[in-house]
Amino acid sequence: MATTNGAVENGQPDRKPPALPRPIRNLEVKFTKALSFQKLDGHIPRARDALSSGFHTGVWGECALTCPAGARLLCFDPIRCRLACFLGNVIKMVSTSSFPERASFPIFINNEWHESKSGKKFATYNPSTLEKICEVEEGDKPDVDKAVEAAQAAFQRGSPWRRLDALSRGRLLHQLADLVERDRAVLATLETMDSGKPFLHAFFIDLEGCIKTLRYFAGWADKIQGRTIPTDDNVVCFTRHEPVGVCGAITPWNFPLLMLVWKLAPALCCGNTVVVKPAEQTPLTALYLGSLIKEVGFPPGVVNIVPGFGPTAGAAISSHPQISKIAFTGSTEVGKLVKEASSQSNLKRVTLELGGKNPCIVCADADLDLAVECAHQGVFFNQGQCCTAASRVFVEEQVYADFVRRSVEYAKKRPVGDPFDVRTEQGPQIDQKQFNKILDLIDSGKEEGAKLECGGSAMEDRGLFIKPTVFSEVTDTMRIAREEIFGPVQPILKFKSIEEVIKRANSLEYGLTAAVFTKNLDKALKLASALEAGTVWINCYNALYAQAPFGGFKMSGNGRELGEYALTEYTEVKTVTIKLDDKNP
Amino acid sequence: MSSSQPDIPAPLTNLKFQYTKIFINNEWHDSVSGKKFPVFNPATEEKLCEVEEGDKEDVNKAVAAARQAFQLGSPWRTMDASERGRLLYKLADLVERDRLILATMESMNGGKLFSNAYLMDLGGCLKTLRYCAGWADKIQGRTIPSDGNFFTYTRHEPVGVCGQILPWNFPLLMFLWKIAPALSCGNTVVVKPAEQTPLSALHVATLIKEAGFPPGVVNIVPGYGPTAGAAISSHMDIDKVAFTGSTEVGKLIKEAAGKSNLKRVTLELGGKSPFIVFADADLETALEVTHQALFYHQGQCCVAASRLFVEESIYDEFVRRSVERAKKYVLGNPLTPGVSQGPQIDKEQYEKILDLIESGKKEGAKLECGGGPWGNKGYFIQPTVFSNVSDEMRIAKEEIFGPVQQIMKFKSLDDVIKRANNTTYGLSAGIFTKDLDKAITVSAALQSGTVWVNCYSVVSPQCPFGGFKMSGNGREMGEYGFHEYTEVKTVTVKISQKNS
């Protein structure tokens, strides 16, 4: 080629990650409603001044918003309020209703905000400081009923949602992805406040996953194809892949927004309507997403979000006779209750993503640097609060001692602390209950004779933080080798032969994920087929993609999320057979 | 419910044609020969601008750039599939931003009614891009339960450098029908737009660069068929060629592919599409739909329903009312509001159509209306309807590509199926009936890549489109269209022991 390209920067794809974001400091989380806004052409120079002058002079009427100097205020609905606060637009806010100031977040039904029928609220806490963030309306059966009614109405034949072109459904999901991207820093901040996960993880991993999942399923909407089938006899036979109907979704607290999006995106892509119960520990990002769903223009009733507790709101969803399908991510114990409730009520379709006690097998021929780091991140990521956590590391005996030594070095270096600090890799556990359970399991490990290599206790005088803990000389019968810990605890076991490790790895009731570290092609493929797990990672860990299905063998779950496979969970297949007149040629 | 149609704005009055060169490696190039060719407005016969005339040398340059961009390890080859989709989505957003410019351009250069250009062509472009964007990370290989102790999987890989030769009737839409699936699968392309209508593709070239496609992924060489087009179809380093145009030229392309390097070929060619109206049809709807099926875009559609078979019992009334409908046209500049028929694309087409009309008169068809040219400037032809047309007349056999409707009579189902299939073409067909059984039986019997029942010209990006027989090879759009832009690689690995 004779030419040189003078515009490489323009012609090259943008592969740079987004600039290192900053969390929003002093994010004050309040809900306000029924505000309207007028643009003031330059009369008030900054939104912040508008906010504080409003506060002082009482312009707000009964919507008294507090806004300490320099703080950012997060308001939900209407949307422009949020823009005013975050984009610094010159906007005057005028109260138009007598809606009282309230610090509780409401229930999202029919694209509107509602108080709970019972009038009850519950508090959500910041697990790093143990401070209350705000109160949330507590949904229960009557609220779930209201939400289901809305979702059913939105799913009626002839409704705007049912008549929408599939391509347009995809477009709405794409636009939702754009808004999540726009508000990425807000959502990541909120996620960190509510769940204690490091802000950079929330921003780069959780939010990235949300955006990509939304875009991936946006693309599927108009590609869900039925078939025509060469049946016997003089008939025409074809299938229609129809949405299931009203889908319930019960989401966990470890990846609050991401797990919601994993459920929402395929459900909406296939044309269903949804009633969601976010985990009571972490309801805020889901409710924020509600405001984005409204902004994007999904018809009312397509997505409904009812914060509340499992035994009340959750149970109401899983036993609801008008919900056609339920998707749950959480513990195996609760998963069994959900499936039981579904059977006792209306045999609703059930998909479950449950616990795991995932084997990570390191063969002697592996790249040990890679294996040590992957196994470390595999178990400690998100404070160990991952269903995929590599909580049984099987290491071949020749490299066992070396592996343990290097894993301990890694664990000792892991920075634990304020999740808003960019250096932090590990924040607090989610709540006191989980914290106590983890410490109890750590104690059991000590008692049952495992060798504590490092950690083994809570951080001194610091709430819900636990030291990264490594146990060696762990045997299969110990509780730490059998029970899901969901904490920063790495049990390392020894193995001698491949046949032996396959048996041991498969010996539990769980079957979510497994990992293998080896350079040997045959060994890799052999283990990949022998391991009883929904996902096998070879020379990598937590390699999750919107394109690839995810789910559990055995008691780790039913069904699959993500990938094309997820679509089958959110569609009913209808076989249409038409008898032809034999008289025609 | 379709997504709501936008309001139609007024066309731009001061459109400048600033992109008139050869686009290679995300840069503009003069032709190697130094030659240019004129581009006209067919409504006024005025020259719009001159465009650099690409020939073999320019095609070689473009292919070298496309090959470079396709090298293993290149930014394009190492890009995530989802990112390819993202780029196509961005391109859609940019086309939407420039919708008014592009619709005005398409109308001025293609003689296309502005409202059609804005709503139908540009609307189709946006949907095509967004649809194909979604496929990028959904082109899945398989793992295969082969016999023995083996592990087998397939990879669906891009074919390589794809040559694409475009027609003038839907210049931008056909451009995107070609590049969007090709790029979604990870190929690189060398495109030759039709010499009559190169401008909209060249404008989109700037958007391709703006969206961030790496240099060399899309290259556009305007020029003529016998020179630039032939250079593409016979090029030794092009892996696949896709062509939309006449059957005559399609044969040359496949021949050139055979003589050169056996490149893969997909062809979307001519048609002489039958439209069968049964007596039980909803007559009002059938009249309007069969009318649009032929007269849309001055009859310049490969799917034009240019053989209308009407059942005997309703024939006379159908003819009478079809003539009434055809007489309602307002001819004129397609940019002017209220005009419902624009000019034919150029003098050659114009003369060919008039010649076919004459043959119809001579061979004994009954001229019901129209039958000649209109106005004294621009290539306008009166909307023309022939009745009493029989199967051996030229107007019942040859593709006219003009506003000329042939209405034939039929008596029985068997008879009409035979007659409808009695052609070398097989692109599309229409049926009008309320009878379920008839609809299904006839749609199965017709030799045609597309059958429309109680509708016509319903083309959407989700559905495959292409021809039986000499109307084409392969399919465009839909999941099927993506097969044409991938090579399947079977990887088989010996393993020690297989388990189910």
Side-chain angles (χ1 to χ4, degrees):
Chain A
M1 290 300 304
T3 59
T4 56
N5 196 308
V8 172
E9 70 285 358
N10 191 14
Q12 292 286 1
D14 181 14
R15 291 183 69 88
K16 284 178 292 193
L20 200 63
R22 288 217 205 109
I24 292 154
R25 286 290 171 187
N26 307 320
L27 185 73
E28 189 160 327
V29 184
K30 294 217 164 197
F31 178 80
T32 67
K33 141 167 168 174
L35 287 174
S36 77
F37 303 89
Q38 295 170 346
K39 264 209 161 167
L40 278 189
D41 297 323
H43 286 112
I44 299 175
R46 282 178 303 168
R48 200 175 70 196
D49 297 345
L51 286 166
S52 48
S53 69
F55 176 58
H56 291 306
T57 59
V59 167
W60 307 106
E62 284 159 315
C63 291
L65 301 177
T66 56
C67 190
R72 306 282 200 115
L73 187 70
L74 177 66
C75 316
F76 279 57
D77 193 45
I79 294 130
R80 277 172 294 176
C81 178
R82 201 173 50 233
L83 293 179
C85 300
F86 289 105
L87 304 182
N89 284 349
V90 181
I91 288 176
K92 180 189 173 195
M93 306 185 180
V94 184
S95 168
T96 56
S97 89
S98 56
F99 194 76
E101 178 198 356
R102 42 186 296 174
S104 69
F105 280 90
I107 296 168
F108 183 73
I109 295 175
N110 251 336
N111 284 4
E112 286 166 354
W113 301 102
H114 298 262
E115 294 172 56
S116 69
K117 292 224 168 176
S118 66
K120 282 205 276 186
K121 305 175 199 315
F122 66 97
T124 181
Y125 295 92
N126 180 335
S128 354
T129 60
L130 301 179
E131 283 162 4
K132 185 166 90 176
I133 301 170
C134 63
E135 303 231 302
V136 178
E137 295 290 324
E138 184 182 333
D140 201 338
K141 191 170 185 309
D143 308 287
V144 168
D145 287 342
K146 213 163 108 181
V148 172
E149 252 172 59
Q152 261 192 308
F155 193 73
Q156 283 305 304
R157 285 190 66 245
S159 73
W161 181 240
R162 291 300 294 277
R163 294 173 58 220
L164 200 61
D165 281 341
L167 186 92
S168 305
R169 286 205 305 269
R171 190 93 183 94
L172 286 174
L173 282 170
H174 248 295
Q175 284 164 343
L176 182 58
D178 290 342
L179 295 193
V180 170
E181 196 156 27
R182 181 194 70 191
D183 292 354
R184 188 171 185 166
V186 180
L187 282 160
T189 304
L190 213 49
E191 200 77 313
T192 293
M193 281 175 78
D194 214 6
S195 75
K197 68 172 61 200
F199 173 75
L200 289 185
H201 292 180
F203 188 90
F204 282 114
I205 299 170
D206 294 57
L207 267 296
E208 181 79 359
C210 292
I211 293 162
K212 287 198 164 178
T213 304
L214 286 167
R215 295 203 197 285
Y216 175 75
F217 284 106
W220 268 122
D222 60 355
K223 299 173 185 70
I224 301 165
Q225 303 174 117
R227 293 170 202 167
T228 62
I229 301 185
T231 43
D232 293 348
D233 292 336
N234 196 18
V235 298
V236 168
C237 181
F238 62 88
T239 55
R240 284 170 48 80
H241 294 198
E242 300 182 358
V244 176
V246 179
C247 297
I250 302 179
T251 56
W253 46 260
N254 57 347
F255 296 90
L257 190 62
L258 184 61
M259 290 303 105
L260 172 55
V261 168
W262 276 24
K263 299 185 170 38
L264 207 57
L268 298 180
C269 149
C270 297
N272 299 282
T273 59
V274 183
V275 175
V276 182
K277 186 199 89 63
E280 63 272 17
Q281 294 90 340
T282 54
L284 297 181
T285 44
L287 290 168
Y288 192 100
L289 192 72
S291 75
L292 300 183
I293 281 164
K294 182 176 176 177
E295 182 179 349
V296 146
F298 281 93
V302 170
V303 178
N304 307 279
I305 304 169
V306 184
F309 290 86
T312 51
I317 290 176
S318 42
S319 62
H320 203 291
Q322 260 79 51
I323 289 184
S324 311
K325 183 231 151 71
I326 184 166
F328 168 75
T329 297
S331 71
T332 296
E333 181 195 349
V334 175
K336 291 170 81 171
L337 296 176
V338 168
K339 192 156 181 171
E340 198 182 328
S342 119
S343 309
Q344 279 174 359
S345 54
N346 62 344
L347 278 175
K348 54 176 70 64
R349 286 95 191 86
V350 180
T351 50
L352 303 169
E353 304 287 353
L354 308 174
K357 188 71 188 172
N358 308 296
C360 173
I361 299 170
V362 180
C363 301
D365 71 340
D367 174 341
L368 214 59
D369 289 338
L370 177 76
V372 168
E373 180 168 4
C374 284
H376 171 82
Q377 292 296 351
V379 73
F380 289 104
F381 176 63
N382 208 40
Q383 296 73 250
Q385 302 169 144
C386 300
C387 48
T388 62
S391 56
R392 287 189 294 156
V393 185
F394 292 96
V395 181
E396 200 162 358
E397 65 181 346
Q398 302 94 300
V399 292
Y400 185 80
D402 197 17
F403 187 93
V404 169
R405 183 180 52 75
R406 289 161 74 170
S407 294
V408 171
E409 275 168 27
Y410 257 101
K412 282 183 175 164
K413 279 190 297 195
R414 192 168 182 83
V416 183
D418 175 8
F420 280 112
D421 187 324
V422 292
R423 291 161 300 186
T424 297
E425 288 282 308
Q426 185 178 318
Q429 307 307 125
I430 188 71
D431 61 14
Q432 192 70 46
K433 190 177 150 200
Q434 287 292 321
F435 177 83
N436 293 345
K437 185 188 140 194
I438 297 162
L439 289 179
D440 175 53
L441 276 157
I442 290 177
D443 287 341
S444 83
K446 296 176 192 164
E447 278 157 27
E448 294 183 337
K451 182 174 172 203
L452 179 69
E453 296 276 355
C454 66
S457 61
M459 302 288 281
E460 294 76 12
D461 62 294
R462 267 219 258 158
L464 302 176
F465 293 84
I466 292 178
K467 290 179 190 162
T469 299
V470 178
F471 280 110
S472 65
E473 290 170 28
V474 178
T475 59
D476 293 1
T477 52
M478 293 178 188
R479 280 182 63 205
I480 53 169
R482 286 185 293 126
E483 296 178 28
E484 190 172 35
I485 304 175
F486 238 59
V489 183
Q490 183 177 40
I492 309 181
L493 302 83
K494 195 185 290 181
F495 78 91
K496 290 185 182 170
S497 81
I498 293 291
E499 288 307 324
E500 168 214 331
V501 80
I502 289 172
K503 263 196 206 114
R504 291 169 64 194
N506 288 341
S507 67
L508 297 185
E509 65 191 16
Y510 291 114
L512 193 60
T513 67
V516 177
F517 288 85
T518 176
K519 287 182 186 155
N520 183 291
L521 175 63
D522 198 58
K523 222 183 266 180
L525 292 177
K526 181 175 191 168
L527 282 161
S529 81
L531 290 169
E532 294 167 1
T535 293
V536 178
W537 289 303
I538 296 175
N539 296 332
C540 56
Y541 209 92
N542 276 338
L544 292 161
Y545 304 99
Q547 298 92 355
F550 179 80
F553 277 36
K554 301 193 281 187
M555 285 179 71
S556 284
N558 289 178
R560 292 294 177 271
E561 290 187 309
L562 299 183
E564 185 175 1
Y565 297 84
L567 303 175
T568 62
E569 314 281 357
Y570 286 97
T571 45
E572 287 280 6
V573 176
K574 179 184 282 174
T575 306
V576 181
T577 305
I578 306 175
K579 177 80 175 80
L580 293 183
D581 186 347
D582 293 319
K583 282 176 297 194
N584 278 330
Chain B
M1 185 176 71
S2 298
S3 43
S4 56
Q5 293 278 28
D7 294 332
I8 305 173
L12 294 172
T13 51
N14 56 348
L15 188 64
K16 300 265 188 305
F17 302 102
Q18 31 176 339
Y19 305 111
T20 59
K21 296 193 176 188
I22 297 171
F23 184 77
I24 296 174
N25 251 337
N26 283 2
E27 288 183 330
W28 297 107
H29 297 254
D30 292 334
S31 66
V32 172
S33 68
K35 282 205 277 186
K36 299 178 199 297
F37 65 97
V39 173
F40 296 97
N41 178 339
T44 61
E45 299 181 44
E46 283 163 13
K47 187 167 87 175
L48 293 171
C49 61
E50 296 210 318
V51 172
E52 295 292 323
E53 183 182 333
D55 201 336
K56 193 168 187 307
E57 308 302 315
D58 308 283
V59 167
N60 286 342
K61 256 168 81 176
V63 172
R67 179 57 62 194
Q68 182 68 28
F70 192 73
Q71 286 305 307
L72 279 177
S74 74
W76 182 238
R77 291 302 294 279
T78 55
M79 187 182 284
D80 284 340
S82 66
E83 184 60 21
R84 290 202 305 268
R86 202 68 200 108
L87 287 179
L88 283 168
Y89 222 89
K90 271 193 217 165
L91 181 59
D93 291 343
L94 296 178
V95 169
E96 192 158 31
R97 183 193 72 193
D98 288 1
R99 185 172 192 163
L100 184 54
I101 296 173
L102 288 164
T104 306
M105 199 175 270
E106 209 71 332
S107 180
M108 288 179 76
N109 191 192
K112 193 180 278 282
L113 294 186
F114 175 74
S115 56
N116 283 348
Y118 191 84
L119 291 180
M120 310 303 286
D121 290 65
L122 268 295
C125 290
L126 296 176
K127 288 183 173 191
T128 299
L129 283 169
R130 291 190 172 128
Y131 174 77
C132 294
W135 268 121
D137 60 356
K138 298 171 186 72
I139 301 164
Q140 303 174 116
R142 293 168 202 168
T143 62
I144 302 189
S146 47
D147 290 347
N149 286 324
F150 299 100
F151 165 61
T152 300
Y153 61 94
T154 56
R155 284 169 47 82
H156 293 199
E157 300 182 357
V159 177
V161 178
C162 299
Q164 304 180 316
I165 304 176
L166 310 177
W168 47 259
N169 57 347
F170 296 91
L172 190 58
L173 185 62
M174 289 301 108
F175 175 55
L176 297 177
W177 268 35
K178 299 265 179 304
I179 70 163
L183 300 180
S184 180
C185 295
N187 298 281
T188 59
V189 298
V190 174
V191 182
K192 187 196 89 63
E195 63 273 18
Q196 294 91 339
T197 54
L199 300 176
S200 51
L202 291 173
H203 183 92
V204 170
T206 65
L207 306 184
I208 284 166
K209 181 174 174 177
E210 186 179 345
F213 283 90
V217 170
V218 178
N219 307 279
I220 304 175
V221 184
Y224 291 90
T227 52
I232 289 176
S233 44
S234 62
H235 204 288
M236 291 303 289
D237 204 25
I238 288 183
D239 301 297
K240 181 222 155 75
V241 62
F243 169 74
T244 297
S246 71
T247 296
E248 181 196 349
V249 175
K251 291 171 80 169
L252 295 177
I253 285 174
K254 193 157 181 173
E255 199 182 325
K259 276 188 182 157
S260 55
N261 63 344
L262 278 175
K263 53 176 71 64
R264 286 97 190 85
V265 179
T266 50
L267 303 170
E268 304 287 353
L269 308 175
K272 190 72 189 172
S273 299
F275 203 143
I276 303 171
V277 180
F278 290 96
D280 71 341
D282 174 348
L283 214 59
E284 287 299 322
T285 320
L287 273 161
E288 184 60 26
V289 171
T290 54
H291 171 83
Q292 291 294 349
L294 185 281
F295 287 97
Y296 186 79
H297 193 34
Q298 292 83 258
Q300 302 171 131
C301 300
C302 48
V303 298
S306 55
R307 289 188 296 150
L308 178 53
F309 293 96
V310 179
E311 196 161 4
E312 196 176 27
S313 59
I314 56 166
Y315 184 81
D316 292 342
E317 189 191 353
F318 204 92
V319 169
R320 183 177 55 73
R321 292 172 67 180
S322 293
V323 173
E324 271 170 29
R325 177 65 184 84
K327 283 181 176 167
K328 282 187 188 155
Y329 274 95
V330 180
L331 280 74
N333 190 317
L335 287 167
T336 311
V339 165
S340 51
Q341 186 183 316
Q344 309 307 124
I345 189 69
D346 62 12
K347 192 148 200 267
E348 191 191 332
Q349 287 292 319
Y350 171 83
E351 283 170 355
K352 184 188 139 195
I353 298 162
L354 290 175
D355 175 53
L356 275 158
I357 291 176
E358 287 312 309
S359 82
K361 296 177 191 168
K362 272 187 217 140
E363 293 183 341
K366 183 175 171 202
L367 180 69
E368 296 276 356
C369 66
W374 177 88
N376 46 22
K377 208 167 55 166
Y379 309 116
F380 293 91
I381 291 178
Q382 295 169 19
T384 298
V385 178
F386 280 110
S387 66
N388 293 344
V389 178
S390 60
D391 293 0
E392 36 345 294
M393 292 178 185
R394 279 182 64 202
I395 53 171
K397 286 191 294 173
E398 295 178 30
E399 188 172 37
I400 303 177
F401 237 60
V404 185
Q405 184 176 41
Q406 288 62 240
I407 313 184
M408 289 112 111
K409 196 184 290 182
F410 78 90
K411 289 183 186 175
S412 81
L413 192 92
D414 283 346
D415 173 49
V416 77
I417 289 172
K418 266 190 209 121
R419 289 169 65 193
N421 287 339
N422 185 24
T423 165
T424 55
Y425 291 113
L427 192 60
S428 61
I431 304 168
F432 248 98
T433 177
K434 286 182 187 153
D435 186 304
L436 173 65
D437 205 73
K438 233 178 243 174
I440 292 174
T441 307
V442 178
S443 42
L446 291 172
Q447 296 165 348
S448 161
T450 294
V451 178
W452 285 297
V453 180
N454 296 333
C455 58
Y456 204 83
S457 292
V458 182
V459 176
S460 70
Q462 297 87 4
C463 302
F465 180 82
F468 277 37
K469 300 195 280 187
M470 286 178 70
S471 284
N473 288 178
R475 292 293 177 272
E476 288 188 308
M477 301 311 297
E479 186 174 0
Y480 300 84
F482 282 77
H483 300 162
E484 314 282 356
Y485 285 99
T486 47
E487 287 281 4
V488 176
K489 179 184 283 175
T490 307
V491 182
T492 299
V493 184
K494 178 84 177 80
I495 53 175
S496 52
Q497 186 197 63
K498 173 185 65 185
N499 279 280
S500 60

